Amino acid sequence: GIQVEQSPPDLILQEGANSTLRCNFSDSVNNLQWFHQNPWGQLINLFYIPSGTKQNGRLSATTVATERYSLLYISSSQTTDSGVYFCAVEDSGNTGKLIFGQGTTLQVKP
Amino acid sequence: EAGVAQSPRYKIIEKRQSVAFWCNPISGHATLYWYQQILGQGPKLLIQFQNNGVVDDSQLPKDRFSAERLKGVDSTLKIQPAKLEDSAVYLCASSLDLAGGTDTQYFGPGTRLTVL
């Protein structure tokens, strides 16, 4: 099955810093989503981005489908950005089933 | 628009007991997913419904887990009997339709299960 690898596994930032999170996947995908899981466990969809670039406020994401990776950029980080960021891809079965990576745990210090 | 609702939020049981979780998806969403998230890992799909039919249950441990979505709206996931390794957060998600997986999945708050 498709493999999803995220890096780095852990990241500690000072408030105001910028960061880049990476997601590599082992096969072509129909769908790629980035999620943020807050400290209370709620998963929030950030981007649906199978290809190209999208921006939403301080967050932006780029997926290069031909090279099988996606990047999530966080600019001017805030303490509320803390949590776990997951990349998830739809497997080749075209059913909507998402395969999640192991996540990047981000801690933003004031 | 109301989000995905789940209950209970927390459950503690002893091994070999039974437990059930409930999920009410976003109104109008045809597809419903149950995921298991073990501490420190990403969510893993257990079962996927479209309306009241099962699309994928390949990773559901069918000897002890069962799920139903009888009227194509809310769903129940049951574990009987529970094992220690079933301790996890059980997440329910929904999306508008199957459509080749082109829809965003929206997640509920989850049910945290502890098996003692």
Side-chain angles (χ1 to χ4, degrees):
Chain A
I2 193 165
Q3 303 296 315
V4 182
E5 295 183 358
Q6 292 186 242
S7 60
D10 300 283
L11 187 58
I12 300 175
L13 298 175
Q14 209 63 37
E15 199 168 28
N18 303 327
S19 63
T20 301
L21 282 57
R22 187 176 179 101
C23 172
N24 292 331
F25 42 95
S26 60
D27 205 346
S28 59
V29 297
N30 296 323
N31 174 3
L32 186 146
Q33 297 181 27
W34 283 97
F35 293 89
H36 174 224
Q37 190 166 43
N38 65 24
W40 296 270
Q42 178 71 56
L43 267 169
I44 304 295
N45 183 277
L46 298 175
F47 293 103
Y48 165 75
I49 186 166
S51 64
T53 297
K54 290 187 177 180
Q55 181 157 7
N56 184 2
R58 296 182 295 103
L59 302 181
S60 63
T62 295
T63 297
V64 184
T66 53
E67 297 187 22
R68 300 180 184 169
Y69 73 89
S70 183
L71 302 174
L72 179 68
Y73 306 95
I74 305 174
S75 64
S76 304
S77 59
Q78 300 175 358
T79 56
T80 52
D81 295 331
S82 296
V84 184
Y85 289 82
F86 288 103
C87 166
V89 302
E90 179 195 343
D91 78 352
S92 57
N94 210 34
T95 62
K97 174 182 177 180
L98 289 179
I99 309 298
F100 281 76
Q102 293 290 82
T104 293
T105 300
L106 173 64
Q107 183 183 359
V108 180
K109 294 185 173 182
Chain B
E1 177 181 86
V4 177
Q6 290 188 247
S7 67
R9 292 296 312 277
Y10 306 91
K11 190 72 177 179
I12 300 174
I13 61 173
E14 295 189 349
K15 59 183 179 182
R16 291 187 290 273
Q17 286 187 325
S18 302
V19 65
F21 313 128
W22 175 82
C23 171
N24 190 28
I26 292 173
S27 178
H29 280 197
T31 308
L32 185 148
Y33 311 80
W34 283 102
Y35 289 86
Q36 179 192 58
Q37 186 177 19
I38 293 172
L39 186 64
Q41 299 182 16
K44 181 186 80 173
L45 181 71
L46 292 176
I47 189 167
Q48 176 184 345
F49 294 94
Q50 186 185 18
N51 298 310
N52 60 352
V54 175
V55 175
D56 186 332
D57 64 357
S58 57
Q59 297 192 93
L60 186 74
K62 298 180 185 65
D63 58 335
R64 298 183 301 106
F65 286 64
S66 64
E68 59 184 13
R69 193 186 184 198
L70 292 176
K71 297 183 179 180
V73 180
D74 56 353
S75 176
T76 303
L77 176 69
K78 297 179 181 178
I79 307 175
Q80 180 180 8
K83 293 184 175 181
L84 296 177
E85 58 261 36
D86 298 332
S87 294
V89 176
Y90 291 85
L91 295 162
C92 180
S94 70
S95 64
L96 189 59
D97 61 37
L98 190 61
T102 57
D103 284 315
T104 298
Q105 291 186 26
Y106 297 90
F107 282 78
T111 296
R112 184 176 298 276
L113 174 67
T114 301
V115 182
L116 303 176

